[in-house]
Amino acid sequence: MQDELEPLVGISQHNIALLLANYLSKKGIKVQVIQQEQQFVVYCEGTKLQQAKTIFEQFIKNPDDKKYQGAAWDNADNTKVVNHGPSLLASVKEEFFAHAGIVTLVVFAICWAVYLAASLGWQRTLFNQLHFFAQLSPQAFFDNPFRLIGPVFFHFSILHIAFNTMWWWQLGGSIEQKMGRLELLQLFVFSGVLSNLGQFLVSGPNFGGLSGVVYGVVGYVWWAGWLAPERGLALSRPIIGFLIFWILLGFVDVLPINMANTAHLVGLVTGCVLAWLRFAGQAKR
């Protein structure tokens, strides 16, 4: 049937498109409404396209006329909308991958793979493989250098990983898009290693999570927005205030959960410093 139809008009309002389609149907014109992107396109049979155009010109002057409402009632509003646009799931998937580059996606995927594997029973094994050095020494570093960064991939709860990976995808993705994958990779390594080291010196090796890196990208985007706003990286003041307030809450020890407060603070400072090194010269010019 669709091969016999030609587009008549695109209408942004669903109910108006259906009113017109039902009236055309009542007049003996084959009709179909197809959703395309942000509008509803009314198709009708090509041999009666001119008649349909005349009807539309009258319809659009007064779509509230009782005869159009009556046509919808007579047809029991049975003109169906064919959705040729992407599904909600497809749209979310497209947006997710469009915003994130390879570095953002790889870190995101590793964090979730580790979390899911831990949930299936390998928590202790994975933590033993990823936690920071029990003792710092040159020999320990050469034996397993991955432990410098390993703790960032291990999370202890669904809220923990959801919060961290959401911010990583949002801010890390923006940095990778606008500054390139090497810039994000450098930020990830420096903020991850330094925040891990800082937390180890304060509390030992029993910690994990991407939070230090998240605060690293927060600090980077914050100062990039201040020093080089033309780069298009920015965070609103309320969000920055909330995240800094969260750090302060952790340090005064009023929260019911254990937080890697030092990792958060070191990550934030690292991100700010890297942004300053990257953009300070541009700000002066």
Side-chain angles (χ1 to χ4, degrees):
M1 176 180 174
Q2 186 175 339
D3 294 338
E4 304 172 2
L5 304 181
E6 295 185 20
L8 172 63
V9 64
I11 300 174
S12 60
Q13 293 176 282
H14 179 201
N15 60 324
I16 299 298
L18 287 181
L19 272 179
L20 174 61
N22 279 313
Y23 188 72
L24 291 171
S25 181
K26 183 178 180 180
K27 291 295 184 179
I29 301 173
K30 294 179 181 179
V31 65
Q32 189 175 55
V33 180
I34 299 178
Q35 184 177 356
Q36 296 177 334
E37 296 181 353
Q38 302 300 315
Q39 64 179 355
F40 300 89
V41 180
V42 179
Y43 284 77
C44 64
E45 55 185 308
T47 56
K48 297 184 178 180
L49 184 60
Q50 191 56 49
Q51 179 188 355
K53 287 181 178 179
T54 301
I55 292 174
F56 170 70
E57 290 171 1
Q58 297 173 348
F59 168 84
I60 201 63
K61 293 177 182 178
N62 185 19
D64 293 326
D65 192 296
K66 291 182 179 180
K67 64 182 179 181
Y68 304 123
Q69 303 290 338
W73 180 264
D74 292 341
N75 284 290
D77 206 18
N78 58 9
T79 303
K80 299 187 181 299
V81 176
V82 179
N83 188 349
H84 282 187
S87 66
L88 177 60
L89 181 61
S91 298
V92 171
K93 180 180 177 181
E94 181 180 354
E95 172 64 22
F96 177 82
F97 286 102
H99 183 73
I102 185 65
V103 175
T104 309
L105 291 174
V106 166
V107 172
F108 187 100
I110 292 174
C111 288
W112 276 100
V114 169
Y115 178 77
L116 292 174
S119 300
L120 293 173
W122 290 289
Q123 184 176 37
R124 177 51 57 185
T125 300
L126 287 167
F127 184 75
N128 287 339
Q129 293 297 317
L130 295 175
H131 73 70
F132 204 76
F133 303 107
Q135 290 185 334
L136 275 178
S137 69
Q139 188 60 48
F141 171 75
F142 286 117
D143 287 344
N144 200 347
F146 183 72
R147 289 193 187 279
L148 280 174
I149 197 72
V152 305
F153 299 112
F154 191 92
H155 292 81
F156 296 96
S157 71
I158 187 67
L159 290 178
H160 190 203
I161 189 173
F163 179 87
N164 282 344
T165 53
M166 177 197 72
W167 281 108
W168 167 254
W169 171 81
Q170 180 64 43
L171 299 181
S174 295
I175 293 170
E176 188 168 4
Q177 280 189 334
K178 299 179 186 302
M179 301 302 301
R181 65 184 61 169
L182 290 180
E183 186 81 2
L184 180 61
L185 184 59
Q186 172 184 275
L187 177 58
F188 170 77
V189 172
F190 274 94
S191 59
V193 170
L194 292 177
S195 62
N196 284 344
L197 179 60
Q199 190 62 46
F200 167 79
L201 293 174
V202 170
S203 65
N206 294 320
F207 62 89
L210 196 63
S211 304
V213 174
V214 166
Y215 272 95
V217 296
V218 167
Y220 185 96
V221 171
W222 175 20
W223 277 45
W226 174 40
L227 295 170
E230 71 278 2
R231 294 286 185 164
L233 293 170
L235 271 177
S236 67
R237 289 183 179 179
I239 291 177
I240 294 169
F242 167 77
L243 292 172
I244 293 177
F245 179 67
W246 193 251
I247 292 179
L248 295 176
L249 280 181
F251 274 108
V252 297
D253 200 23
V254 297
L255 297 173
I257 56 176
N258 293 322
M259 293 177 57
N261 302 310
T262 304
H264 297 172
L265 181 59
V266 173
L268 180 67
V269 172
T270 301
C272 292
V273 170
L274 288 176
W276 181 80
L277 292 173
R278 183 73 171 80
F279 300 114
Q282 298 178 26
K284 291 178 182 178
R285 291 196 297 270

